[in-house]
Amino acid sequence: MDNGRVKNIVIVGGGTAGWMSAAALSKLMPKGQGNVTLVESEEIGTVGVGEATIPQIATFNERLGINEDDFIRETQATFKLGIEFVDWAKKGDRYFHPFGTHGFDLEGIEFHHYWNKLREQGDNRNIEDYSINAAAAYNDKFIRPQSEHGPIINKLGYAFHFDAILYAKFLRKFSEGNGARRIEGKVEKVNLRNDNGFIESITLADGQVLEADLFIDCTGFRGLLIEEALQTGYIDWSEYLPVDSAVAIPCEKIGEPIPYTRSTAREAGWQWRIPLQHRTGNGYVYCSQYQSKEEAEKTLLSNLDGKPLASPKHLRFKTGRRKKFWSKNCVAIGLSAGFMEPLESTSIHLIQSGISKLIALFPDKSMNPVERDEYNRLLEVGYAHIRDFLILHYTLTERDDSAFWNYVRTMSIPDSLKRKMALIESRGRFFKYDDELFNVTSWMAVAIGQGYTPKGYNPMVDSLSEENITQSLRNIRAAIDKAVEAMPTQQAFIDRFCKAQDVYTAAGENI
Amino acid sequence: MNQLRRIIIIGDSIEAWLPAAYLRARLPSDDYQITLIETAENSIANNGDILARPTSKNLHHTIETAEHELGSKAKARPALCAAITNDKGATINLPFGNYGVDREGTEFQHLWKFSGSEKPLSEFNLALVMHKASLFIPEAPKGAPAYDYGYILDEQGYKNILKSKANAKHIMADTLSVKHGVHGIDEIICNDISHCADLYIDARNIDYETAWQNNHLKIIGGFDAFDHQSGMRLHRIQMAMERLFKLWPDREFAAIEIAEYNRLEAAQSVHMKDMNLLLQQNVQGCSDALTRKIKLFESRGRIAIEDFEIYSKAEWIAALSAMGIVAQNYDRLAHRIDAIALAQWVEQLHAAIANVVKQLSDRKTRKH
Ligand SMILES: Cc1cc2nc3c(=O)[nH]c(=O)nc-3n(C[C@H](O)[C@H](O)[C@H](O)COP(=O)(O)OP(=O)(O)OC[C@H]3O[C@@H](n4cnc5c(N)ncnc54)[C@H](O)[C@@H]3O)c2cc1C
């Protein structure tokens, strides 16, 4: 009965995707049955960026039994309560996309309808005023929600910022501890079977040949197996998401880290700022059609708030996804599967999602097309939902101060997004699909934050008197203020539970 | 003000009274006028029993109807599954509870298959086992397969409950004629008197392609015996009301919102239709979603879950198994658990279920 069992899995690539896959498979595969081998090449290296996450990563850690505080300590991580978007709607503007929720639903109706009713009546409070995440973020506060904290703090959603290189190291230790084998080497050749085109083996530069039943391609943008060998094809989304380049640089941290990512719109794209315990990560994601590499680097360097700690690293990519994520006996996970730009920190989540779906649909050697097709279908849907949410940020801009913003403001958008936007615009209606990542809070935060406030609200809101609504909303604000006041600062929380070791430069300076 | 204030509901029995009760609970009574025109035309009332699925608990919470009220006025009896008899006379029970207990992220049906247990999978579904033995406790004992329960209700009694909650203006229609115009329904002539509203909720069983057009919302077309047995009779109205409430319109009836309602309704109808085809054991012409479900189950006992599902995984397993579809294999990750230990655990679980049943039967016998 077990003849067709997948016994050997080879993962090619040792970036975040490779080591997350190795960690999950080595932990979750039946012991002694699935041999997990990971091949990586130090010579090629990893992209080394990708430092902000979304709350779903907690599920990954939990499933693997990773202790959160250990993980934070070992990756110099900080907490992330959301993203602040600066200059996106127009210059001088800012808004916050929080994890967690805005306020509370009342009488079974989503909170934003009540907020919108009061706004129509002249109350100019921001929807952020009802987010515990935004309030905690702007006060540099953090606490890990626990059941005894009560309903307000329990609405706090959080993720992490971490050092991508340290994260890979941490997962390597974890995976090797669970029996995964690591081989240092460069894959020079991918050998296909004549009969069915499956990958039979890979040949390393030193002549070593590695055979496997299942190959996981985590080789980054190039997709060494899924594309170069299996020629699966790529769906290009650059007409909707035109950024295609990035320049990244870490800098010294100034003061205590803030518990959120900042994304600042610049002339031909946007700049990220990710605070870690030992340094700050920075990068500028831009469209090369509108700005040169040199200009982009200059823009980034002139907008750092600390001394650079390395030389700038330049990257090129094409937004989109692989036509098939799983082809023959090869599954692409990570950048080899696709990349939609890092605006909402979704790539690591897509790695996690790919791994958990692979585990849920784990094949045998025959690679039954039924399971493969289901995997591809589920991921296609997941990618499309995220793509639409990312486009929303661009299409809603009012900026007309550069060719880039003029393009994104006026570009055509997918019909699926048009429909969603029309529903939001009329009365703030939102229906979440089962496999959709971002919920009503996210969509409303970005739409309202960029000035696309629903024109109306659910008329059912009128069931509560205005006085009643005003009082309820006042109570929510007061409860949030009180809760945030009682929270420790993020730094105090880290110092107490998960402080990483100080890092020193070669010159002995504490960074 | 463009607010929608006057609502007319046309129909019979619970199909008409449930929307009335729901809207009365949700809408401030001073501002909204709800009129119910009761007509036996295209009625599906049969004054027997109706099945309320476990999800009806939300509904009853909304309309403030406690379990004891359902018991005293509608002779509520607990239901642990939907028992469906198909055209071939076979009865298929769709359970409101899980098959076995999942372990380490692996669903029980895989563990069961890997364990090689000779006991049928259905014997690991406590809801099904208790249903068969006519036993009931509201909650599964710790460690036993979880379940929820719905109710079998006396239709007439239930209708009376809804009527009392609805507090609507009520007209018995001896004659009824619906006048349609460019904006949907223009007026309803009932007993020679004209009645107008901002929104017409049509609860008559009339086939339709589009549920909602302008001011005319149809909520129950294409009803058949399966809908009755599977609990969809009530569930469909509940879903229609929840959708309507989320998309509550004004008199402009924004096309985009109506289209969204219709899109959601159509998505759910596909699942309902698929389940019906499956239970009828005739899946020709079924949706891609059902084809996927069948293939995936056949291959390795997995259930594909799609957007806006209505039925649970356990119900799909029951229906697919009844159709004679056998999973060829199981999820390899079941191997994470040592085979001998697993086989013992599966047998223990079976014994624990049998024990629950025995204790309950003994208690029942003693009572008698
Ligand atoms: C500018 C930018 C910013 C980003 N920010 C975020 C963010 O904030 N949040 C987020 O979730 N994601 C972010 N991402 C995405 C994130 O960086 C990636 O999803 C993540 O790092 C995974 O990368 P990877 O492991 O797929 O690829 P890589 O890191 O490129 O790893 C590829 C691996 O394959 C190996 N390899 C390649 N060829 C061979 C060969 N021939 N032989 C042997 N080994 C080989 C390499 O040595 C390397 O180990 C960002 C990406 C970019 C470009």
Side-chain angles (χ1 to χ4, degrees), chain B residues 111-142:
Chain B
L111 303 173
W112 166 78
K113 185 132 188 153
F114 172 45
S115 78
S117 172
E118 283 176 2
K119 313 276 182 344
L121 184 61
S122 59
E123 289 184 11
F124 291 89
N125 189 307
L126 187 52
L128 284 178
V129 173
M130 291 208 302
H131 168 78
K132 233 168 123 185
S134 303
L135 296 169
F136 176 73
I137 36 169
E139 213 177 315
K142 210 168 162 255

Side-chain angles (χ1 to χ4, degrees), chain A residues 2 28 33 107 359-360 362 364 368 371 377 419 426-427 429-430 433-434 458-460 462, chain B residues 3 26-27 245-248 250 257 260 263 292 296 299-300 302 306-307 332-333 335-336:
Chain A
D2 257 3
L28 301 175
Q33 293 192 15
E107 304 284 319
I359 287 172
F362 205 77
D364 61 19
N368 187 337
E371 276 128 17
R377 184 183 73 86
R419 201 187 61 231
S426 78
R427 279 179 198 279
R429 319 280 199 188
F430 179 83
Y433 290 78
D434 289 357
N458 187 334
M460 287 282 185
D462 294 330
Chain B
Q3 296 276 28
R26 288 291 207 177
L27 302 171
F245 182 67
K246 257 198 113 177
L247 285 164
W248 190 254
D250 60 18
E257 300 189 351
E260 185 67 2
R263 204 175 59 81
R292 271 197 297 274
L296 210 66
S299 148
R300 220 174 264 279
R302 288 170 174 139
E306 313 263 337
D307 279 326
R332 297 278 183 211
L333 296 181
H335 289 203
R336 252 180 290 164

Side-chain angles (χ1 to χ4, degrees), chain A residues 43 83 120 190 212 255 331 415 432 437:
Chain A
E43 183 193 325
I83 306 177
E120 267 188 14
V190 180
V331 181
D415 288 345
K432 187 175 174 294
L437 180 59

